[in-house]
Amino acid sequence: MRRRALIVGNWKMNGLVETALELTESLLTGVAKREKKKLLGEVVVCPPFTALSAVNNILGGSSIKLGGQNMSAESSGAFTGEICGIMLRNVGCRYVILGHSERRRHFGETDLDVGRKVAAAFRDGLNPIICVGEDMAQREAGSALDAVDAQIQALAPFLPEKTTKQNQMVIAYEPVWAIGSGQTPTPQQISEMHVFIRDRLDKYMGADETRKVRILYGGSLKPENAAAIFSVDNVDGGLVGGSSLSPQDFLAIIDAYPTSD
Ligand code: PGA
């Protein structure tokens, strides 16, 4: 089944409010032109927390949606420095990236933490974009599939029994070694992993519930490699880091998605 493409820009810890607004303005212009030609899937931008409100104000009713880069599993209270899902909703977010490998590596997030955040995102009315992926040692040891299976299995208790439009989740396959490195897996490796992830989701949630789950590829996506990666079966879009900070590059990646749907 063909799913609606989703291209997500993860701006990470980059940009003040002014630069976030400039980038958003350029994307709004570029996306509006493409909509006229009906070239578009769904586009989401995930600025730093400090720019969410300002970006939301200029996105208005446009087709570009807003997402956070992380959230707390708690819903309010004495958690200094944290942001909860309701707060993200309050500034216009529909999506939230969870379990990014940088969160796992630099902030010690475990599979259990990620699972609790995923459940909290559903509770708070956000669509989680859940990142999974192996590191280089696991890839070299031939255990990439096992590593990703363990991450998905750990999520299973936190997934809803019935999926609705409101609690759709997205999976982003991001090999840790491909993030920011300029290296990417081969199309065969991406294909193998995406088929495997869908199979695991079916196993843990049931095929009916996971049919609509989009599985994105992320890790050194660039205008030069996007068309080849997007043409791999079962790749429903991309999670873009570095290249999402350049409107030209991000729009070129959007353009690289096949348009037959
Ligand atoms: P990258 O990052 O595109 O800069 O490799 C992707 C990500 O971390 O989501």
Side-chain angles (χ1 to χ4, degrees):
M1 130 182 212
R2 188 91 191 172
R3 282 163 285 268
R4 186 157 186 239
L6 175 62
I7 314 283
V8 183
N10 173 11
W11 297 358
K12 308 195 180 183
M13 195 173 72
N14 292 296
L16 303 181
V17 171
E18 295 75 15
T19 36
L21 290 176
E22 276 170 33
L23 179 49
T24 309
E25 295 280 9
S26 306
L27 293 178
L28 281 169
T29 311
V31 163
K33 277 191 200 140
R34 284 156 178 82
E35 273 175 340
K36 281 198 193 109
K37 292 193 260 162
K38 292 211 182 328
L39 281 180
L40 215 58
E42 201 178 352
V43 177
V44 176
V45 292
C46 302
F49 289 142
T50 47
L52 283 172
S53 190
V55 169
N56 184 43
N57 286 342
I58 61 166
L59 285 181
S62 88
S63 63
I64 301 181
K65 314 252 171 45
L66 196 60
Q69 298 176 14
N70 178 38
M71 60 176 263
S72 168
E74 308 297 335
S75 50
S76 68
F79 298 98
T80 301
E82 290 291 275
I83 299 278
C84 66
I86 301 285
M87 291 171 179
L88 292 180
R89 281 276 306 278
N90 188 231
V91 290
C93 291
R94 298 261 195 96
Y95 288 89
V96 60
I97 299 171
L98 294 176
H100 191 283
S101 64
E102 287 154 14
R103 301 281 333 157
R104 296 178 191 257
R105 184 156 30 122
H106 302 306
F107 304 97
E109 282 190 18
T110 63
D111 285 340
L112 180 63
D113 295 328
V114 177
R116 291 184 61 236
K117 289 181 179 200
V118 167
F122 289 133
R123 176 196 67 207
D124 295 339
L126 290 162
N127 298 127
I129 300 167
I130 309 164
C131 303
V132 299
E134 81 285 357
D135 62 25
M136 188 47 111
Q138 290 163 328
R139 171 59 66 185
E140 284 178 349
S143 57
L145 298 181
D146 290 343
V148 169
D149 189 20
Q151 289 173 329
I152 295 177
Q153 197 171 347
L155 282 176
F158 301 97
L159 300 178
E161 272 176 22
K162 275 256 157 269
T163 43
T164 63
K165 219 175 174 183
Q166 282 70 41
N167 67 11
Q168 276 297 325
M169 63 174 182
V170 175
I171 300 284
Y173 167 53
E174 295 209 310
V176 179
W177 52 274
I179 295 175
S181 68
Q183 287 178 278
T184 55
T186 63
Q188 290 75 9
Q189 287 170 328
I190 295 174
S191 170
E192 180 189 38
M193 187 60 86
H194 279 236
V195 169
F196 178 74
I197 291 172
R198 189 158 295 289
D199 176 74
R200 295 292 98 174
L201 290 174
D202 289 355
K203 177 172 166 201
Y204 299 125
M205 283 182 80
D208 275 358
E209 299 307 320
T210 54
R211 220 163 12 103
K212 293 207 186 105
V213 175
R214 288 171 289 186
I215 305 177
L216 313 183
Y217 170 79
S220 294
L221 256 178
K222 299 188 187 321
E224 303 80 53
N225 60 23
I229 291 174
F230 289 158
S231 67
V232 174
D233 262 1
N234 282 298
V235 172
D236 303 311
L239 178 54
V240 188
S243 297
S244 70
L245 295 172
S246 149
Q248 293 75 18
D249 286 358
F250 192 56
L251 290 165
I253 290 173
I254 293 171
D255 287 341
Y257 200 85
T259 54
S260 52
D261 53 334

